[in-house]
Amino acid sequence: MKIIDGKETAQQIKNEIADEVAAMLNSREQGPHLVAVLVGEDPASQTYVRNKEKACAQVGIISSVYKYPESISEKELLEVVDFINNDDEIDGLIVQLPLPKHISEKKIIEKINPAKDVDGFHPLNVGRMALNLPTYLPATPYGILQLIERYNIETEGKSCVVLGRSHIVGSPISILLSRKAYPGNCTVTVCHSRTKNLKQIAKSADILIVAMGQPQFVTEDMVKKDAVVIDVGIHRVPSDKTKSGFRLVGDVLFDEVSKKAGYITPVPGGVGPMTIVSLLMNTLKAAKKEIYF
Ligand code: NDP
């Protein structure tokens, strides 16, 4: 069994990005510039945005956070997005989700200039992804592709089972791995809450991607010997072995499954660190005008 080390891979990619940003400064006055729009006081959203700022600083990407109170109207937020869309000094824009209930996330996302949509959530970018055209890939699936690629994991002709069909993970990774590309060329099956025989289907997978949001759901009996297991889930569960009284676990029962898998991502230190790095990669692409020029 081989551990897929997301922390180490993320650090490698950060070093590469830092080098590219430094090289860019020979021809540009400033590094890439990412703006995060944060609405309200949700502690989880505040932490995510802070972590994104920290990661940007590590590689020389400029980041700004535009903060607005929970009471901002949808119209005002649309105007904010429009303003950022038209600011030539800003390369990438993310709107931290979830938004307050009185604001339509769909409307806000559709307002983002696709050329600055470094989260890859705009329908135009999702369509480009499905058509295998250059685009900003959504962060978590992009991170998974990077791990597969950097660990030279063969994907062609493999049977891939994705557990979960969310718009941010399950659905895009299933599209990406079925594309005529590397990583890709898999035969993909997507499972969800209405799937019958999920355990049996999971066990047929050469590559099993788990994004269900169910702590330690996948047990050893659901996994084929030597399968590649990618665990996207992340949960804080009580523990008497840590000072904080909590520990992090994934959607996979790591201790059991790791004995049977060929490759496996741990939690923490697997997919998680790759998600933020993907945002950095997309912001660099935006600054280099690689996708839209
Ligand atoms: P969602 O809750 O949006 O989607 C979960 C999916 O799993 C749904 O498609 C749902 O089916 C399916 N599902 C849930 N329970 C079952 C079940 N018992 N049997 C079959 N299918 C089931 O989750 P996300 O995709 O947003 O996230 C998944 C996990 O990954 C979470 O733990 C989240 O915290 C984590 N995550 C981690 C990231 C990282 O960077 N490491 C980034 C993003 C997410 P249905 O559609 O039918 O309801």
mmCIF file with all atom_site columns, all heavy atoms in Angstrom, residues 140 164-166 168-170 192-194 198 211-214 217 232-235 251 271-272 275, ligand 1:
data_model
loop_
_atom_site.group_PDB
_atom_site.id
_atom_site.type_symbol
_atom_site.label_atom_id
_atom_site.label_alt_id
_atom_site.label_comp_id
_atom_site.label_asym_id
_atom_site.label_entity_id
_atom_site.label_seq_id
_atom_site.pdbx_PDB_ins_code
_atom_site.Cartn_x
_atom_site.Cartn_y
_atom_site.Cartn_z
_atom_site.occupancy
_atom_site.B_iso_or_equiv
_atom_site.pdbx_formal_charge
_atom_site.auth_seq_id
_atom_site.auth_comp_id
_atom_site.auth_asym_id
_atom_site.auth_atom_id
_atom_site.pdbx_PDB_model_num
ATOM   1   N N   . THR A 1 140 ? -11.467 20.992 -5.897 1.00 0.00 ? 140 THR A N   1
ATOM   2   C CA  . THR A 1 140 ? -11.230 19.640 -5.346 1.00 0.00 ? 140 THR A CA  1
ATOM   3   C C   . THR A 1 140 ? -10.980 18.613 -6.464 1.00 0.00 ? 140 THR A C   1
ATOM   4   O O   . THR A 1 140 ? -9.984  17.876 -6.398 1.00 0.00 ? 140 THR A O   1
ATOM   5   C CB  . THR A 1 140 ? -12.393 19.239 -4.423 1.00 0.00 ? 140 THR A CB  1
ATOM   6   O OG1 . THR A 1 140 ? -12.508 20.251 -3.412 1.00 0.00 ? 140 THR A OG1 1
ATOM   7   C CG2 . THR A 1 140 ? -12.135 17.909 -3.753 1.00 0.00 ? 140 THR A CG2 1
ATOM   8   N N   . GLY A 1 164 ? -20.992 9.744  -4.573 1.00 0.00 ? 164 GLY A N   1
ATOM   9   C CA  . GLY A 1 164 ? -21.397 11.146 -4.380 1.00 0.00 ? 164 GLY A CA  1
ATOM   10  C C   . GLY A 1 164 ? -21.499 11.845 -5.727 1.00 0.00 ? 164 GLY A C   1
ATOM   11  O O   . GLY A 1 164 ? -20.732 11.545 -6.644 1.00 0.00 ? 164 GLY A O   1
ATOM   12  N N   . ARG A 1 165 ? -22.477 12.769 -5.842 1.00 0.00 ? 165 ARG A N   1
ATOM   13  C CA  . ARG A 1 165 ? -22.697 13.450 -7.126 1.00 0.00 ? 165 ARG A CA  1
ATOM   14  C C   . ARG A 1 165 ? -22.889 14.956 -6.934 1.00 0.00 ? 165 ARG A C   1
ATOM   15  O O   . ARG A 1 165 ? -23.663 15.597 -7.642 1.00 0.00 ? 165 ARG A O   1
ATOM   16  C CB  . ARG A 1 165 ? -23.916 12.864 -7.828 1.00 0.00 ? 165 ARG A CB  1
ATOM   17  C CG  . ARG A 1 165 ? -25.188 12.978 -7.003 1.00 0.00 ? 165 ARG A CG  1
ATOM   18  C CD  . ARG A 1 165 ? -26.413 12.498 -7.739 1.00 0.00 ? 165 ARG A CD  1
ATOM   19  N NE  . ARG A 1 165 ? -27.523 12.316 -6.823 1.00 0.00 ? 165 ARG A NE  1
ATOM   20  C CZ  . ARG A 1 165 ? -28.700 11.814 -7.153 1.00 0.00 ? 165 ARG A CZ  1
ATOM   21  N NH1 . ARG A 1 165 ? -28.930 11.441 -8.388 1.00 0.00 ? 165 ARG A NH1 1
ATOM   22  N NH2 . ARG A 1 165 ? -29.657 11.689 -6.253 1.00 0.00 ? 165 ARG A NH2 1
ATOM   23  N N   . SER A 1 166 ? -22.207 15.536 -5.921 1.00 0.00 ? 166 SER A N   1
ATOM   24  C CA  . SER A 1 166 ? -22.379 16.971 -5.691 1.00 0.00 ? 166 SER A CA  1
ATOM   25  C C   . SER A 1 166 ? -21.802 17.754 -6.867 1.00 0.00 ? 166 SER A C   1
ATOM   26  O O   . SER A 1 166 ? -20.965 17.264 -7.622 1.00 0.00 ? 166 SER A O   1
ATOM   27  C CB  . SER A 1 166 ? -21.676 17.396 -4.401 1.00 0.00 ? 166 SER A CB  1
ATOM   28  O OG  . SER A 1 166 ? -20.279 17.340 -4.579 1.00 0.00 ? 166 SER A OG  1
ATOM   29  N N   . ILE A 1 168 ? -19.821 20.206 -6.650 1.00 0.00 ? 168 ILE A N   1
ATOM   30  C CA  . ILE A 1 168 ? -18.438 20.652 -6.455 1.00 0.00 ? 168 ILE A CA  1
ATOM   31  C C   . ILE A 1 168 ? -17.419 19.512 -6.479 1.00 0.00 ? 168 ILE A C   1
ATOM   32  O O   . ILE A 1 168 ? -16.246 19.754 -6.717 1.00 0.00 ? 168 ILE A O   1
ATOM   33  C CB  . ILE A 1 168 ? -18.260 21.518 -5.179 1.00 0.00 ? 168 ILE A CB  1
ATOM   34  C CG1 . ILE A 1 168 ? -18.630 20.731 -3.924 1.00 0.00 ? 168 ILE A CG1 1
ATOM   35  C CG2 . ILE A 1 168 ? -19.055 22.799 -5.256 1.00 0.00 ? 168 ILE A CG2 1
ATOM   36  C CD1 . ILE A 1 168 ? -18.095 21.407 -2.655 1.00 0.00 ? 168 ILE A CD1 1
ATOM   37  N N   . VAL A 1 169 ? -17.851 18.277 -6.235 1.00 0.00 ? 169 VAL A N   1
ATOM   38  C CA  . VAL A 1 169 ? -16.884 17.168 -6.223 1.00 0.00 ? 169 VAL A CA  1
ATOM   39  C C   . VAL A 1 169 ? -17.330 15.988 -7.109 1.00 0.00 ? 169 VAL A C   1
ATOM   40  O O   . VAL A 1 169 ? -16.734 15.732 -8.167 1.00 0.00 ? 169 VAL A O   1
ATOM   41  C CB  . VAL A 1 169 ? -16.585 16.641 -4.801 1.00 0.00 ? 169 VAL A CB  1
ATOM   42  C CG1 . VAL A 1 169 ? -15.394 15.683 -4.848 1.00 0.00 ? 169 VAL A CG1 1
ATOM   43  C CG2 . VAL A 1 169 ? -16.314 17.752 -3.797 1.00 0.00 ? 169 VAL A CG2 1
ATOM   44  N N   . GLY A 1 170 ? -18.354 15.266 -6.670 1.00 0.00 ? 170 GLY A N   1
ATOM   45  C CA  . GLY A 1 170 ? -18.696 13.994 -7.320 1.00 0.00 ? 170 GLY A CA  1
ATOM   46  C C   . GLY A 1 170 ? -18.974 14.135 -8.807 1.00 0.00 ? 170 GLY A C   1
ATOM   47  O O   . GLY A 1 170 ? -18.373 13.430 -9.639 1.00 0.00 ? 170 GLY A O   1
ATOM   48  N N   . HIS A 1 192 ? -25.085 7.365  -5.639 1.00 0.00 ? 192 HIS A N   1
ATOM   49  C CA  . HIS A 1 192 ? -25.675 8.394  -4.777 1.00 0.00 ? 192 HIS A CA  1
ATOM   50  C C   . HIS A 1 192 ? -26.701 7.750  -3.870 1.00 0.00 ? 192 HIS A C   1
ATOM   51  O O   . HIS A 1 192 ? -26.770 6.507  -3.815 1.00 0.00 ? 192 HIS A O   1
ATOM   52  C CB  . HIS A 1 192 ? -26.286 9.513  -5.650 1.00 0.00 ? 192 HIS A CB  1
ATOM   53  C CG  . HIS A 1 192 ? -27.059 8.963  -6.797 1.00 0.00 ? 192 HIS A CG  1
ATOM   54  N ND1 . HIS A 1 192 ? -28.293 8.400  -6.630 1.00 0.00 ? 192 HIS A ND1 1
ATOM   55  C CD2 . HIS A 1 192 ? -26.726 8.805  -8.104 1.00 0.00 ? 192 HIS A CD2 1
ATOM   56  C CE1 . HIS A 1 192 ? -28.721 7.960  -7.804 1.00 0.00 ? 192 HIS A CE1 1
ATOM   57  N NE2 . HIS A 1 192 ? -27.777 8.181  -8.715 1.00 0.00 ? 192 HIS A NE2 1
ATOM   58  N N   . SER A 1 193 ? -27.520 8.585  -3.211 1.00 0.00 ? 193 SER A N   1
ATOM   59  C CA  . SER A 1 193 ? -28.396 8.024  -2.177 1.00 0.00 ? 193 SER A CA  1
ATOM   60  C C   . SER A 1 193 ? -29.484 7.106  -2.743 1.00 0.00 ? 193 SER A C   1
ATOM   61  O O   . SER A 1 193 ? -30.114 6.371  -1.998 1.00 0.00 ? 193 SER A O   1
ATOM   62  C CB  . SER A 1 193 ? -29.025 9.151  -1.366 1.00 0.00 ? 193 SER A CB  1
ATOM   63  O OG  . SER A 1 193 ? -29.862 9.919  -2.198 1.00 0.00 ? 193 SER A OG  1
ATOM   64  N N   . ARG A 1 194 ? -29.712 7.155  -4.037 1.00 0.00 ? 194 ARG A N   1
ATOM   65  C CA  . ARG A 1 194 ? -30.747 6.274  -4.613 1.00 0.00 ? 194 ARG A CA  1
ATOM   66  C C   . ARG A 1 194 ? -30.144 5.031  -5.269 1.00 0.00 ? 194 ARG A C   1
ATOM   67  O O   . ARG A 1 194 ? -30.861 4.244  -5.871 1.00 0.00 ? 194 ARG A O   1
ATOM   68  C CB  . ARG A 1 194 ? -31.589 7.012  -5.672 1.00 0.00 ? 194 ARG A CB  1
ATOM   69  C CG  . ARG A 1 194 ? -32.078 8.377  -5.249 1.00 0.00 ? 194 ARG A CG  1
ATOM   70  C CD  . ARG A 1 194 ? -33.018 8.284  -4.032 1.00 0.00 ? 194 ARG A CD  1
ATOM   71  N NE  . ARG A 1 194 ? -32.981 9.540  -3.289 1.00 0.00 ? 194 ARG A NE  1
ATOM   72  C CZ  . ARG A 1 194 ? -33.755 10.571 -3.525 1.00 0.00 ? 194 ARG A CZ  1
ATOM   73  N NH1 . ARG A 1 194 ? -34.634 10.533 -4.480 1.00 0.00 ? 194 ARG A NH1 1
ATOM   74  N NH2 . ARG A 1 194 ? -33.642 11.673 -2.800 1.00 0.00 ? 194 ARG A NH2 1
ATOM   75  N N   . LEU A 1 198 ? -24.837 -0.379 -3.724 1.00 0.00 ? 198 LEU A N   1
ATOM   76  C CA  . LEU A 1 198 ? -23.667 0.511  -3.705 1.00 0.00 ? 198 LEU A CA  1
ATOM   77  C C   . LEU A 1 198 ? -22.384 -0.223 -3.288 1.00 0.00 ? 198 LEU A C   1
ATOM   78  O O   . LEU A 1 198 ? -21.334 -0.051 -3.906 1.00 0.00 ? 198 LEU A O   1
ATOM   79  C CB  . LEU A 1 198 ? -23.961 1.690  -2.782 1.00 0.00 ? 198 LEU A CB  1
ATOM   80  C CG  . LEU A 1 198 ? -22.899 2.768  -2.706 1.00 0.00 ? 198 LEU A CG  1
ATOM   81  C CD1 . LEU A 1 198 ? -23.530 4.149  -2.592 1.00 0.00 ? 198 LEU A CD1 1
ATOM   82  C CD2 . LEU A 1 198 ? -21.936 2.567  -1.550 1.00 0.00 ? 198 LEU A CD2 1
ATOM   83  N N   . ALA A 1 211 ? -16.849 10.834 -1.993 1.00 0.00 ? 211 ALA A N   1
ATOM   84  C CA  . ALA A 1 211 ? -17.214 12.214 -1.617 1.00 0.00 ? 211 ALA A CA  1
ATOM   85  C C   . ALA A 1 211 ? -18.669 12.210 -1.200 1.00 0.00 ? 211 ALA A C   1
ATOM   86  O O   . ALA A 1 211 ? -19.546 12.728 -1.894 1.00 0.00 ? 211 ALA A O   1
ATOM   87  C CB  . ALA A 1 211 ? -16.982 13.163 -2.788 1.00 0.00 ? 211 ALA A CB  1
ATOM   88  N N   . MET A 1 212 ? -18.942 11.599 -0.055 1.00 0.00 ? 212 MET A N   1
ATOM   89  C CA  . MET A 1 212 ? -20.324 11.407 0.397  1.00 0.00 ? 212 MET A CA  1
ATOM   90  C C   . MET A 1 212 ? -20.684 12.262 1.599  1.00 0.00 ? 212 MET A C   1
ATOM   91  O O   . MET A 1 212 ? -21.851 12.508 1.865  1.00 0.00 ? 212 MET A O   1
ATOM   92  C CB  . MET A 1 212 ? -20.529 9.946  0.820  1.00 0.00 ? 212 MET A CB  1
ATOM   93  C CG  . MET A 1 212 ? -20.249 8.932  -0.243 1.00 0.00 ? 212 MET A CG  1
ATOM   94  S SD  . MET A 1 212 ? -20.311 7.283  0.470  1.00 0.00 ? 212 MET A SD  1
ATOM   95  C CE  . MET A 1 212 ? -22.051 7.035  0.649  1.00 0.00 ? 212 MET A CE  1
ATOM   96  N N   . GLY A 1 213 ? -19.681 12.655 2.378  1.00 0.00 ? 213 GLY A N   1
ATOM   97  C CA  . GLY A 1 213 ? -19.989 13.375 3.608  1.00 0.00 ? 213 GLY A CA  1
ATOM   98  C C   . GLY A 1 213 ? -20.510 12.443 4.693  1.00 0.00 ? 213 GLY A C   1
ATOM   99  O O   . GLY A 1 213 ? -21.298 12.865 5.539  1.00 0.00 ? 213 GLY A O   1
ATOM   100 N N   . GLN A 1 214 ? -20.081 11.167 4.673  1.00 0.00 ? 214 GLN A N   1
ATOM   101 C CA  . GLN A 1 214 ? -20.498 10.169 5.683  1.00 0.00 ? 214 GLN A CA  1
ATOM   102 C C   . GLN A 1 214 ? -19.248 9.620  6.362  1.00 0.00 ? 214 GLN A C   1
ATOM   103 O O   . GLN A 1 214 ? -18.496 8.864  5.740  1.00 0.00 ? 214 GLN A O   1
ATOM   104 C CB  . GLN A 1 214 ? -21.253 9.010  5.019  1.00 0.00 ? 214 GLN A CB  1
ATOM   105 C CG  . GLN A 1 214 ? -22.488 9.417  4.239  1.00 0.00 ? 214 GLN A CG  1
ATOM   106 C CD  . GLN A 1 214 ? -23.620 9.869  5.138  1.00 0.00 ? 214 GLN A CD  1
ATOM   107 O OE1 . GLN A 1 214 ? -23.660 9.541  6.326  1.00 0.00 ? 214 GLN A OE1 1
ATOM   108 N NE2 . GLN A 1 214 ? -24.534 10.638 4.596  1.00 0.00 ? 214 GLN A NE2 1
ATOM   109 N N   . PHE A 1 217 ? -17.566 5.713  6.160  1.00 0.00 ? 217 PHE A N   1
ATOM   110 C CA  . PHE A 1 217 ? -18.614 4.893  5.534  1.00 0.00 ? 217 PHE A CA  1
ATOM   111 C C   . PHE A 1 217 ? -18.020 3.692  4.796  1.00 0.00 ? 217 PHE A C   1
ATOM   112 O O   . PHE A 1 217 ? -18.564 2.598  4.833  1.00 0.00 ? 217 PHE A O   1
ATOM   113 C CB  . PHE A 1 217 ? -19.398 5.773  4.551  1.00 0.00 ? 217 PHE A CB  1
ATOM   114 C CG  . PHE A 1 217 ? -20.534 5.083  3.861  1.00 0.00 ? 217 PHE A CG  1
ATOM   115 C CD1 . PHE A 1 217 ? -21.820 5.154  4.383  1.00 0.00 ? 217 PHE A CD1 1
ATOM   116 C CD2 . PHE A 1 217 ? -20.333 4.379  2.680  1.00 0.00 ? 217 PHE A CD2 1
ATOM   117 C CE1 . PHE A 1 217 ? -22.885 4.526  3.742  1.00 0.00 ? 217 PHE A CE1 1
ATOM   118 C CE2 . PHE A 1 217 ? -21.385 3.743  2.033  1.00 0.00 ? 217 PHE A CE2 1
ATOM   119 C CZ  . PHE A 1 217 ? -22.666 3.821  2.568  1.00 0.00 ? 217 PHE A CZ  1
ATOM   120 N N   . VAL A 1 232 ? -12.336 12.040 -0.120 1.00 0.00 ? 232 VAL A N   1
ATOM   121 C CA  . VAL A 1 232 ? -12.544 13.499 -0.114 1.00 0.00 ? 232 VAL A CA  1
ATOM   122 C C   . VAL A 1 232 ? -13.147 13.965 1.220  1.00 0.00 ? 232 VAL A C   1
ATOM   123 O O   . VAL A 1 232 ? -12.956 15.104 1.636  1.00 0.00 ? 232 VAL A O   1
ATOM   124 C CB  . VAL A 1 232 ? -13.461 13.917 -1.292 1.00 0.00 ? 232 VAL A CB  1
ATOM   125 C CG1 . VAL A 1 232 ? -13.680 15.419 -1.316 1.00 0.00 ? 232 VAL A CG1 1
ATOM   126 C CG2 . VAL A 1 232 ? -12.870 13.457 -2.621 1.00 0.00 ? 232 VAL A CG2 1
ATOM   127 N N   . GLY A 1 233 ? -13.834 13.091 1.894  1.00 0.00 ? 233 GLY A N   1
ATOM   128 C CA  . GLY A 1 233 ? -14.574 13.460 3.105  1.00 0.00 ? 233 GLY A CA  1
ATOM   129 C C   . GLY A 1 233 ? -13.683 14.049 4.189  1.00 0.00 ? 233 GLY A C   1
ATOM   130 O O   . GLY A 1 233 ? -12.494 13.728 4.285  1.00 0.00 ? 233 GLY A O   1
ATOM   131 N N   . ILE A 1 234 ? -14.251 14.909 4.974  1.00 0.00 ? 234 ILE A N   1
ATOM   132 C CA  . ILE A 1 234 ? -13.513 15.439 6.133  1.00 0.00 ? 234 ILE A CA  1
ATOM   133 C C   . ILE A 1 234 ? -14.493 15.744 7.256  1.00 0.00 ? 234 ILE A C   1
ATOM   134 O O   . ILE A 1 234 ? -15.480 16.443 7.045  1.00 0.00 ? 234 ILE A O   1
ATOM   135 C CB  . ILE A 1 234 ? -12.623 16.640 5.734  1.00 0.00 ? 234 ILE A CB  1
ATOM   136 C CG1 . ILE A 1 234 ? -11.801 17.115 6.915  1.00 0.00 ? 234 ILE A CG1 1
ATOM   137 C CG2 . ILE A 1 234 ? -13.372 17.784 5.129  1.00 0.00 ? 234 ILE A CG2 1
ATOM   138 C CD1 . ILE A 1 234 ? -10.511 17.761 6.488  1.00 0.00 ? 234 ILE A CD1 1
ATOM   139 N N   . HIS A 1 235 ? -14.240 15.138 8.405  1.00 0.00 ? 235 HIS A N   1
ATOM   140 C CA  . HIS A 1 235 ? -15.156 15.261 9.551  1.00 0.00 ? 235 HIS A CA  1
ATOM   141 C C   . HIS A 1 235 ? -14.364 15.348 10.840 1.00 0.00 ? 235 HIS A C   1
ATOM   142 O O   . HIS A 1 235 ? -13.344 14.684 10.990 1.00 0.00 ? 235 HIS A O   1
ATOM   143 C CB  . HIS A 1 235 ? -16.047 14.004 9.653  1.00 0.00 ? 235 HIS A CB  1
ATOM   144 C CG  . HIS A 1 235 ? -16.646 13.594 8.360  1.00 0.00 ? 235 HIS A CG  1
ATOM   145 N ND1 . HIS A 1 235 ? -17.821 14.117 7.900  1.00 0.00 ? 235 HIS A ND1 1
ATOM   146 C CD2 . HIS A 1 235 ? -16.213 12.739 7.390  1.00 0.00 ? 235 HIS A CD2 1
ATOM   147 C CE1 . HIS A 1 235 ? -18.099 13.582 6.713  1.00 0.00 ? 235 HIS A CE1 1
ATOM   148 N NE2 . HIS A 1 235 ? -17.134 12.750 6.385  1.00 0.00 ? 235 HIS A NE2 1
ATOM   149 N N   . ASP A 1 251 ? -14.306 9.893  4.747  1.00 0.00 ? 251 ASP A N   1
ATOM   150 C CA  . ASP A 1 251 ? -15.469 9.050  4.445  1.00 0.00 ? 251 ASP A CA  1
ATOM   151 C C   . ASP A 1 251 ? -15.063 7.576  4.392  1.00 0.00 ? 251 ASP A C   1
ATOM   152 O O   . ASP A 1 251 ? -15.894 6.707  4.171  1.00 0.00 ? 251 ASP A O   1
ATOM   153 C CB  . ASP A 1 251 ? -16.048 9.448  3.073  1.00 0.00 ? 251 ASP A CB  1
ATOM   154 C CG  . ASP A 1 251 ? -16.858 10.738 3.139  1.00 0.00 ? 251 ASP A CG  1
ATOM   155 O OD1 . ASP A 1 251 ? -17.036 11.285 4.237  1.00 0.00 ? 251 ASP A OD1 1
ATOM   156 O OD2 . ASP A 1 251 ? -17.320 11.190 2.068  1.00 0.00 ? 251 ASP A OD2 1
ATOM   157 N N   . VAL A 1 271 ? -6.526  14.849 0.163  1.00 0.00 ? 271 VAL A N   1
ATOM   158 C CA  . VAL A 1 271 ? -7.166  15.750 -0.809 1.00 0.00 ? 271 VAL A CA  1
ATOM   159 C C   . VAL A 1 271 ? -7.227  17.193 -0.282 1.00 0.00 ? 271 VAL A C   1
ATOM   160 O O   . VAL A 1 271 ? -7.076  18.146 -1.049 1.00 0.00 ? 271 VAL A O   1
ATOM   161 C CB  . VAL A 1 271 ? -8.590  15.226 -1.142 1.00 0.00 ? 271 VAL A CB  1
ATOM   162 C CG1 . VAL A 1 271 ? -9.345  16.205 -2.020 1.00 0.00 ? 271 VAL A CG1 1
ATOM   163 C CG2 . VAL A 1 271 ? -8.506  13.865 -1.824 1.00 0.00 ? 271 VAL A CG2 1
ATOM   164 N N   . GLY A 1 272 ? -7.416  17.346 1.018  1.00 0.00 ? 272 GLY A N   1
ATOM   165 C CA  . GLY A 1 272 ? -7.603  18.685 1.612  1.00 0.00 ? 272 GLY A CA  1
ATOM   166 C C   . GLY A 1 272 ? -6.570  19.722 1.172  1.00 0.00 ? 272 GLY A C   1
ATOM   167 O O   . GLY A 1 272 ? -6.936  20.760 0.620  1.00 0.00 ? 272 GLY A O   1
ATOM   168 N N   . THR A 1 275 ? -6.819  21.117 -2.401 1.00 0.00 ? 275 THR A N   1
ATOM   169 C CA  . THR A 1 275 ? -7.941  21.954 -2.823 1.00 0.00 ? 275 THR A CA  1
ATOM   170 C C   . THR A 1 275 ? -7.523  23.426 -2.895 1.00 0.00 ? 275 THR A C   1
ATOM   171 O O   . THR A 1 275 ? -7.797  24.117 -3.879 1.00 0.00 ? 275 THR A O   1
ATOM   172 C CB  . THR A 1 275 ? -9.135  21.722 -1.870 1.00 0.00 ? 275 THR A CB  1
ATOM   173 O OG1 . THR A 1 275 ? -9.541  20.360 -2.002 1.00 0.00 ? 275 THR A OG1 1
ATOM   174 C CG2 . THR A 1 275 ? -10.311 22.607 -2.193 1.00 0.00 ? 275 THR A CG2 1
HETATM 175 P P1  . NDP B 2 .   ? -22.671 16.729 -0.528 1.00 0.00 ? 1   NDP B P1  1
HETATM 176 O O1  . NDP B 2 .   ? -23.355 16.516 0.774  1.00 0.00 ? 1   NDP B O1  1
HETATM 177 O O2  . NDP B 2 .   ? -23.011 17.903 -1.376 1.00 0.00 ? 1   NDP B O2  1
HETATM 178 O O3  . NDP B 2 .   ? -22.923 15.419 -1.441 1.00 0.00 ? 1   NDP B O3  1
HETATM 179 C C1  . NDP B 2 .   ? -22.871 14.138 -0.901 1.00 0.00 ? 1   NDP B C1  1
HETATM 180 C C2  . NDP B 2 .   ? -23.201 13.130 -1.967 1.00 0.00 ? 1   NDP B C2  1
HETATM 181 O O4  . NDP B 2 .   ? -23.125 11.828 -1.401 1.00 0.00 ? 1   NDP B O4  1
HETATM 182 C C3  . NDP B 2 .   ? -24.599 13.286 -2.539 1.00 0.00 ? 1   NDP B C3  1
HETATM 183 O O5  . NDP B 2 .   ? -24.577 13.052 -3.938 1.00 0.00 ? 1   NDP B O5  1
HETATM 184 C C4  . NDP B 2 .   ? -25.414 12.193 -1.826 1.00 0.00 ? 1   NDP B C4  1
HETATM 185 O O6  . NDP B 2 .   ? -26.435 11.637 -2.623 1.00 0.00 ? 1   NDP B O6  1
HETATM 186 C C5  . NDP B 2 .   ? -24.361 11.141 -1.578 1.00 0.00 ? 1   NDP B C5  1
HETATM 187 N N1  . NDP B 2 .   ? -24.640 10.387 -0.359 1.00 0.00 ? 1   NDP B N1  1
HETATM 188 C C6  . NDP B 2 .   ? -24.678 10.859 0.914  1.00 0.00 ? 1   NDP B C6  1
HETATM 189 N N2  . NDP B 2 .   ? -24.968 9.856  1.760  1.00 0.00 ? 1   NDP B N2  1
HETATM 190 C C7  . NDP B 2 .   ? -25.108 8.735  1.019  1.00 0.00 ? 1   NDP B C7  1
HETATM 191 C C8  . NDP B 2 .   ? -25.395 7.379  1.317  1.00 0.00 ? 1   NDP B C8  1
HETATM 192 N N3  . NDP B 2 .   ? -25.592 6.957  2.577  1.00 0.00 ? 1   NDP B N3  1
HETATM 193 N N4  . NDP B 2 .   ? -25.440 6.485  0.298  1.00 0.00 ? 1   NDP B N4  1
HETATM 194 C C9  . NDP B 2 .   ? -25.245 6.882  -0.970 1.00 0.00 ? 1   NDP B C9  1
HETATM 195 N N5  . NDP B 2 .   ? -24.943 8.154  -1.323 1.00 0.00 ? 1   NDP B N5  1
HETATM 196 C C10 . NDP B 2 .   ? -24.889 9.066  -0.343 1.00 0.00 ? 1   NDP B C10 1
HETATM 197 O O7  . NDP B 2 .   ? -21.126 16.630 -0.230 1.00 0.00 ? 1   NDP B O7  1
HETATM 198 P P2  . NDP B 2 .   ? -19.811 17.268 -0.945 1.00 0.00 ? 1   NDP B P2  1
HETATM 199 O O8  . NDP B 2 .   ? -19.563 16.582 -2.244 1.00 0.00 ? 1   NDP B O8  1
HETATM 200 O O9  . NDP B 2 .   ? -19.864 18.736 -0.889 1.00 0.00 ? 1   NDP B O9  1
HETATM 201 O O10 . NDP B 2 .   ? -18.710 16.790 0.117  1.00 0.00 ? 1   NDP B O10 1
HETATM 202 C C11 . NDP B 2 .   ? -18.481 15.441 0.427  1.00 0.00 ? 1   NDP B C11 1
HETATM 203 C C12 . NDP B 2 .   ? -17.496 15.351 1.564  1.00 0.00 ? 1   NDP B C12 1
HETATM 204 O O11 . NDP B 2 .   ? -16.263 15.902 1.150  1.00 0.00 ? 1   NDP B O11 1
HETATM 205 C C13 . NDP B 2 .   ? -17.868 16.135 2.830  1.00 0.00 ? 1   NDP B C13 1
HETATM 206 O O12 . NDP B 2 .   ? -17.383 15.419 3.948  1.00 0.00 ? 1   NDP B O12 1
HETATM 207 C C14 . NDP B 2 .   ? -17.121 17.446 2.685  1.00 0.00 ? 1   NDP B C14 1
HETATM 208 O O13 . NDP B 2 .   ? -16.826 18.036 3.943  1.00 0.00 ? 1   NDP B O13 1
HETATM 209 C C15 . NDP B 2 .   ? -15.869 16.967 2.016  1.00 0.00 ? 1   NDP B C15 1
HETATM 210 N N6  . NDP B 2 .   ? -15.187 17.968 1.193  1.00 0.00 ? 1   NDP B N6  1
HETATM 211 C C16 . NDP B 2 .   ? -13.832 18.057 1.344  1.00 0.00 ? 1   NDP B C16 1
HETATM 212 C C17 . NDP B 2 .   ? -13.104 18.903 0.567  1.00 0.00 ? 1   NDP B C17 1
HETATM 213 C C18 . NDP B 2 .   ? -11.635 18.916 0.724  1.00 0.00 ? 1   NDP B C18 1
HETATM 214 O O14 . NDP B 2 .   ? -11.003 19.840 0.292  1.00 0.00 ? 1   NDP B O14 1
HETATM 215 N N7  . NDP B 2 .   ? -11.044 17.878 1.314  1.00 0.00 ? 1   NDP B N7  1
HETATM 216 C C19 . NDP B 2 .   ? -13.749 19.807 -0.412 1.00 0.00 ? 1   NDP B C19 1
HETATM 217 C C20 . NDP B 2 .   ? -15.156 19.584 -0.559 1.00 0.00 ? 1   NDP B C20 1
HETATM 218 C C21 . NDP B 2 .   ? -15.849 18.696 0.243  1.00 0.00 ? 1   NDP B C21 1
HETATM 219 P P3  . NDP B 2 .   ? -27.720 12.491 -3.171 1.00 0.00 ? 1   NDP B P3  1
HETATM 220 O O15 . NDP B 2 .   ? -27.179 13.362 -4.275 1.00 0.00 ? 1   NDP B O15 1
HETATM 221 O O16 . NDP B 2 .   ? -28.651 11.440 -3.667 1.00 0.00 ? 1   NDP B O16 1
HETATM 222 O O17 . NDP B 2 .   ? -28.233 13.258 -2.001 1.00 0.00 ? 1   NDP B O17 1
#
